[in-house]
């Protein structure tokens, strides 16, 4: 079955042909499972989402993972599913089998950078600062005219960090983050272990940081499903928005359950 009405552009919607034992599913959070909000703390989690994630996790024998730019702690606060495999902070944090196998802590100098960021942003009203483990996200969704000034602040921060950090651009956000793993690394790391190993990995995501995972998934025989109209992309399939993602995931859960029965 193909949900053709979910196709936002030239890319087709992903088909529902998988057998439960053949695929592994990787899911981004903001812009994919959740609609955007002007402030990261104001996102709304659909009441049916946690249960849907459980259904898929069960149907896939545990081969479901969340790959997010949020911290692991924030992913768990939002989704309430700490048993799921997950990568936080764009891949710098990793959990599998309920155990955190890769953690991240502020590196030396981060507290000075946080103070410097607060000083630099004092004159930029509407810009939201999100402090994460060894990372600072500067959000300008509520103040789009500030985008260039925020980029300038980010460049100053990365220079002040003396090569210990890099910038990660995203949807109305630029983040200063440690030089560490990306979502592609996280996907590959999970694919080395049961129940992911030997399956076809499929990643659903909307943002630039998800492209790393699309590429890693494609190289392992699966691929990417992009959410929204951002192009170019490495993804082979597309879904229009988080509501379309929810519908497709519900259809997939039903398909997997029928296939198993
Ligand atoms: O990889 P993701 O799960 O998509 O996380 C990427 C970033 O998502 C969040 O920021 C984005 O969503 C916010 C809430 O809707 C929005 O205000 C912001 O403009 C978006 O960029 C999150 O706050 C970041 O920490 C994540 O890195």
């Amino acid at each position: 079955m193909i949900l053709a009405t979910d196709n936002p552009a030239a890319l087709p919607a992903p088909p529902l042909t998988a057998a439960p034992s053949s695929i592994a599913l990787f899911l981004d959070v903001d812009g994919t499972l959740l609609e955007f909000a002007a402030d990261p703390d104001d996102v709304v989690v659909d009441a049916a989402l946690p249960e849907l994630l459980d259904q898929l996790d069960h149907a896939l024998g545990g081969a479901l993972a969340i790959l997010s730019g949020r911290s692991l702690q924030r992913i768990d606060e939002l989704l309430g599913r700490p048993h799921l495999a997950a990568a936080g902070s764009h891949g710098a944090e990793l959990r599998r089998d309920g155990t955190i196998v890769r953690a991240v802590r502020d590196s030396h100098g981060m507290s000075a950078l946080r103070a410097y960021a607060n000083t630099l942003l004092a004159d930029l009203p509407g810009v939201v600062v999100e402090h994460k483990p060894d990372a600072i996200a500067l959000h300008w969704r509520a103040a789009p005219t500030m985008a260039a000034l925020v980029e300038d602040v980010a460049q100053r921060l990365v220079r002040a960090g003396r090569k210990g950090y890099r910038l990660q651009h995203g949807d109305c956000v630029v983040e200063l983050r440690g030089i560490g793993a990306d979502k592609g690394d996280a996907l590959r790391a999970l694919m080395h272990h049961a129940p992911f190993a030997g399956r076809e990995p499929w990643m659903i995501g909307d943002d630039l940081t998800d492209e790393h995972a699309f590429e890693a998934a494609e190289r392992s025989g699966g691929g990417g499903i992009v959410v929204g109209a951002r192009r170019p992309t490495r993804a082979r399939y597309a879904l229009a928005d988080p509501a379309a993602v929810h519908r497709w995931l519900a259809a997939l859960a039903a398909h997997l359950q029928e296939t198993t029965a």
Side-chain angles (χ1 to χ4, degrees):
M1 175 171 52
I2 293 183
L3 304 180
T5 53
D6 286 340
N7 180 5
L11 292 174
L16 295 174
T17 53
S21 60
S22 71
I23 63 164
L25 198 55
F26 297 85
L27 302 173
D28 169 55
V29 176
D30 293 276
T32 296
L33 294 178
L34 308 183
E35 292 285 358
F36 286 122
D39 187 311
D41 284 339
D42 289 344
V43 289
V44 174
V45 179
D46 187 293
L49 180 62
E51 173 62 25
L52 176 57
L53 294 175
D54 282 347
Q55 284 173 18
L56 285 164
D57 183 50
H58 181 70
L60 293 169
L64 174 88
I66 304 294
L67 303 188
S68 176
R70 300 259 189 180
S71 67
L72 271 183
Q73 180 182 337
R74 198 68 187 111
I75 295 168
D76 293 345
E77 287 167 359
L78 287 168
L79 302 179
R81 289 298 181 268
H83 52 280
L84 294 180
S89 301
H90 300 291
E93 303 172 288
L94 190 65
R95 175 174 67 214
R96 59 179 169 80
D97 295 332
T99 303
I100 294 177
V101 294
R102 188 190 291 160
V104 62
R105 280 188 311 203
D106 273 10
S107 47
H108 181 71
M110 182 44 102
S111 61
L113 286 173
R114 293 192 194 284
Y116 188 35
N118 288 337
T119 305
L120 292 174
L121 291 167
D123 294 331
L124 303 187
V127 176
V128 176
V129 186
E130 180 187 10
H131 292 286
K132 306 197 285 188
D134 209 30
I136 308 169
L138 311 178
H139 295 274
W140 48 270
R141 184 173 298 275
T145 56
M146 300 285 175
L149 293 170
V150 170
E151 177 67 25
D152 182 59
V153 167
Q155 296 287 350
R156 288 179 191 224
L157 289 173
V158 83
R159 281 197 298 275
R162 297 175 186 274
K163 298 190 178 165
Y165 303 90
R166 62 169 153 151
L167 295 185
Q168 170 77 59
H169 291 88
D171 200 326
C172 301
V173 64
V174 54
E175 299 186 31
L176 179 83
R177 54 169 303 219
I179 302 190
D182 60 31
K183 288 191 183 184
D185 298 318
L187 186 146
R188 279 187 290 274
L190 288 169
M191 289 299 294
H192 281 132
H193 299 274
F196 295 91
R199 292 173 181 248
E200 219 176 76
W202 286 93
M203 168 74 191
I204 308 182
D206 68 301
D207 212 344
L208 282 176
T209 180
D210 299 311
E211 294 288 331
H212 297 127
F214 292 165
E215 179 176 357
E218 195 178 305
R219 287 181 187 277
S220 296
I225 300 167
V226 68
V227 181
R230 184 186 55 76
R231 303 291 184 275
T233 179
R234 186 130 185 164
R236 305 220 306 267
Y237 298 105
L239 291 167
D241 51 30
V245 173
H246 288 206
R247 288 195 295 277
W248 189 79
L249 290 176
L252 178 66
H255 167 77
L256 293 174
Q257 274 156 15
E258 278 167 23
T259 314
T260 310

